[in-house]
Amino acid sequence: MPYFRGLLPEGLPLESLAASLGLRAEDYFELLAACGLDCLGDVIINPRTYYEQRAYEQLSLEEVQAMGESPRKVDDSLEAAHLSLAGTQSKCGLYHDWSALDDQEWYQPIGGAPSNTIVKFSRIKMQDLMVVEQLTMACARGCGIEAVRTCLINPVLPAICVERYDRMDVSGQLVSGIDAPLRRHQEDLTQAFGLIPSAKYRQLPGGTVQAIADFLRQRARDPARCLEELCKVLLFNYAIGNCDGHLKNLSILYAPDWKSFTLAPAYDLVCTTVYGRFSRELGMVMGETQDIDEIGPADILQMGNHLGLAPRKVRSVAKEIAEVAISALRNEGATLDDHGFGTALYRVDEIEEDMLPRLEVLSSM
């Protein structure tokens, strides 16, 4: 049950999807039967329908942008694709040729044809949230973190486009003349640990970081690499001020034969501390501390110990982030400003000011 419930959206998007399908939000199997032809990972509910109906229909960039102005259009897109996406934001799944210009090669998947791009739309009261997410994701990549590729569209009502790491390869099967993406299986950590989505902030017995480390050490294909990458993500979340790094925002990605897995690329990284009404408690305890403003070098080294990493390695990761984060953030801000996203430089200044005390902690190690 936790796995299948974890394939569906949460909160208002779930209620909206259920209402549009005429189903109850609690009937997760009925919902998946209706929209589970393209789930996260390599899972298809009712595959016979998938093979009979799948197709791609070309969209203009204007049509993609218009979805952000109407929740009904987002629901229509999800229904056409028979797509189920986890999370609490308004989003849809499309196919996009990432080698083309942003205003070309957009397609609406039909009948479960695999999407390769998730498009997340701004909330009216937080129109620059997608700008902050783009700044955060670009900063993470600049800090050497393996993170998914993202870009922004529509300066008027920004939407962020996220390349799906479970759909990056091609399958060799043509759908409407397009080489359809290969489905790679993935599970977020609530699914992997058998927890329902609402338990994503739960601190696991023995400590969440320790529990994840033990899980990866015992079962991942390359535990040392996974644990080092996890250390980078946790320290980056601390540095940038991402207090929403919960269990659903970490995933494992299986090999095509499902026989082994690695830690998936980082996604959904957002600086939350620039918003005063959001919590300043990290999604996972670091050392003995959860309040982001109270964490010190001892907590960071203890986190590294939970991961089984030598203090020298933890210090190296910390100093690399401290040295390059500001320049990576500023570079992305300048790029977004050049493309018409007028709030980007303002947000860069806010994020930078909020980060400085934490970067000093990382530099002092």
Side-chain angles (χ1 to χ4, degrees), residues 178-323:
I178 293 173
D179 195 348
L182 176 70
R183 299 172 189 269
R184 291 277 301 277
H185 191 56
Q186 72 104 54
E187 296 174 11
D188 67 49
L189 290 190
T190 59
Q191 294 171 313
F193 281 92
L195 301 172
I196 59 174
S198 60
K200 60 189 177 184
Y201 292 104
R202 179 181 299 175
Q203 300 303 308
L204 300 178
T208 297
V209 173
Q210 180 74 62
I212 296 172
D214 291 343
F215 172 73
L216 294 174
R217 194 175 295 112
Q218 294 166 12
R219 298 184 55 186
R221 183 176 65 210
D222 187 350
R225 177 179 173 275
C226 291
L227 291 169
E228 183 175 341
E229 194 63 28
L230 179 58
C231 178
K232 291 180 181 179
V233 172
L234 293 175
L235 286 184
F236 177 77
N237 281 343
Y238 165 70
I240 199 72
N242 177 22
C243 292
D244 202 39
H246 51 67
L247 290 170
K248 285 191 74 66
N249 281 345
L250 286 171
S251 291
I252 54 176
L253 178 64
Y254 280 80
D257 61 6
W258 287 48
K259 292 183 179 179
S260 62
F261 66 77
T262 62
L263 190 69
Y267 59 93
D268 282 0
L269 303 177
V270 184
C271 172
T272 61
T273 51
V274 293
Y275 298 99
R277 62 185 177 278
F278 289 172
S279 171
R280 294 185 72 88
E281 288 196 345
L282 288 167
M284 299 178 189
V285 173
M286 183 173 288
E288 299 293 334
T289 309
Q290 194 165 7
D291 187 326
I292 196 169
D293 299 309
E294 299 297 326
I295 289 170
D299 295 300
I300 294 171
L301 291 175
Q302 186 174 356
M303 179 212 69
N305 183 56
H306 291 158
L307 293 173
L309 299 178
R312 182 181 61 213
K313 169 56 69 176
V314 178
R315 290 189 177 100
S316 174
V317 173
K319 289 185 177 180
E320 180 179 1
I321 292 173
E323 288 171 358

Side-chain angles (χ1 to χ4, degrees), residues 50 53-56 110 112-114 171-181:
Y50 163 71
Q53 297 182 1
R54 57 184 179 161
Y56 292 109
I110 303 295
S171 65
Q173 296 182 356
L174 290 179
V175 177
S176 301
I178 293 173
D179 195 348

